[in-house]
């Protein structure tokens, strides 16, 4: 069974709005940072930048859905548990569940398609990516 | 029948990532700007800032869902058609559909709950808000 | 004498921090938006994106300096008066002075160098740029 | 002699513009994150959020100046060396020098004033702050 991957985010003053909680539009940023960090952790340090430029593999998003359960604040580190939930022929889905001090703050679901980056054309999941990803897939 | 409300966004260099399209996490920002602009247009110029501070009405988000149909670029103004789709006892849902040069780029669905802002406690939709909003509700 | 160029920014809830004023790090964003808008207004609609990709001219920043005079809030449109203050052999300097409701909020000074974009190599100010820019130069 | 304080920033795809380097307006964000982290490291974990809300001490910025020496990319961690350079009667100045892989990328200088946060009124540097800060002051 794969280890849980958790990306920590230090939420600060600048992330907050006048209600003293993280501004809603910051939360997709945090979730995408977590997905990028998941790639870095599982692909020899390569995130989207290196995937695109060095490996010519893009993974643009086709959908995102987030449920906001509890406000995110600077009081605790935001722990973003991140894992792939499904690997299709040409796509990958991720869950990113953010919590602070043991309280679930948001649940996010994201789907990306694989592309040949310099052609912005979809492609099947490359074989080396598939081999790396499959052991990490978990049900939501 | 209410007029269509369209919020224009000038997408620029700084919104784009190395793939030369707007970074995915910018798109929820644009959509939230459009919802804030909808309030400004229908509430005597008041957006979330004035609603919270002058009217003591908060509308925190409980969910967001976006489908990304086509990349957003600086080549054309991003036209965000924005309208409420449902008004519940204590909540409001919005659609934000972004298009460029006639091509649909994303469809977003958002739900917010009404709160007494200084108590961060939910409340029914205030009567003056309900009266203003209802004529603008449209099916998705 | 050239007309004054003023770029309006609609400051909103999401730009503000818990002190209910625009977060400091947003102000350079606004100023850069104003400089990009200056290019768009004077270069047939082309901002940095089109300059880089269509004209192969980059203008990376080498310095920025901002003095913050008064807080920026969502209460009034932020009016960013923007103009070139100096055109060197290979560089351009801009002033961006932001005000709200007649009160000066910040003064910014920025210097960029011209590059051949696809080589990331500096170049003299292209002749057509020089001809366009010179009439707009004003003392600080 | 005080230890050097270095705040690491993981620069990613989403921070970059189409020139494949961090967008200029992101760099003040990184520098401010570093200053906030300096406070957290020296004030029992309290950053601007806790300073403002728990201690009623604000430190709004009155000036920023940055020199950009070399592009910032996702290739290496951005190491932001951060230290106070001057403590006045009512103000503090910081240096933030960002480097990647041993190359200096930017030098930033920032000045903040101390305020009574809930009154947005300037105040002398509180005594406990002064005692903590003084040993860390270094010449630029």
């Amino acid at each position: 069974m794969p280890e849980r991957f958790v990306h920590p985010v230090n939420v600060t003053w600048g992330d907050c709005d006048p209600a003293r909680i993280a501004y809603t539009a910051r939360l997709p940023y945090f979730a995408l940072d977590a997905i990028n960090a998941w790639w870095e952790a599982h692909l020899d340090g390569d995130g989207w930048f290196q995937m695109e430029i060095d490996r010519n593999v893009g993974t643009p998003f086709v959908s995102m859905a987030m449920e906001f359960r509890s406000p995110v604040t600077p009081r605790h580190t935001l722990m973003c548990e991140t894992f792939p939930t499904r690997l299709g022929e040409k796509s990958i889905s991720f869950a990113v569940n953010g919590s602070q001090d043991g309280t679930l703050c948001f649940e996010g679901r994201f789907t990306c398609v694989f592309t040949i980056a310099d052609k912005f054309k979809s492609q099947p999941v490359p074989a080396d990516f598939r081999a790396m990803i499959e052991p990490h897939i978990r049900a939501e």
Side-chain angles (χ1 to χ4, degrees), chain A:
Chain A
M1 206 181 127
E3 260 182 64
R4 296 170 64 226
F5 176 80
V6 178
H7 176 68
V9 175
N10 188 30
V11 180
T12 69
W13 173 260
D15 298 312
C16 293
D17 61 30
R20 299 182 169 182
I21 59 178
Y23 178 53
T24 303
R26 286 296 290 152
L27 304 179
Y29 258 91
F30 295 153
L32 266 64
D33 282 345
I35 295 172
N36 183 68
W38 188 90
W39 285 113
E40 291 182 351
H42 294 89
L43 211 60
D44 300 320
D46 287 3
W48 290 322
F49 186 86
Q50 294 82 4
M51 287 162 64
E52 176 102 2
I53 291 170
D54 301 341
R55 296 174 182 248
N56 201 24
V57 173
T59 55
F61 284 79
V62 293
S63 68
M64 95 168 36
M66 298 186 76
E67 303 285 323
F68 306 112
R69 303 297 186 194
S70 183
V72 171
T73 81
R75 294 291 181 191
H76 301 278
T77 301
L78 176 64
M79 307 302 285
C80 294
E81 185 175 4
T82 306
F83 52 95
T85 57
R86 188 179 173 279
L87 193 64
E89 175 67 23
K90 300 185 166 187
S91 69
I92 184 169
S93 298
F94 283 99
V96 182
N97 298 327
S99 59
Q100 290 193 303
D101 196 32
T103 299
L104 182 66
C105 298
F106 63 75
E107 296 173 280
R109 300 293 177 267
F110 303 85
T111 296
C112 307
V113 290
F114 283 82
T115 61
I116 304 170
D118 62 7
K119 298 185 182 164
F120 211 79
K121 192 172 164 294
S122 76
Q123 66 166 329
V125 182
D128 54 337
F129 278 71
R130 181 172 294 279
M132 179 282 280
I133 294 163
E134 278 185 338
H136 296 283
I137 296 173
R138 286 169 38 196
E140 298 180 38

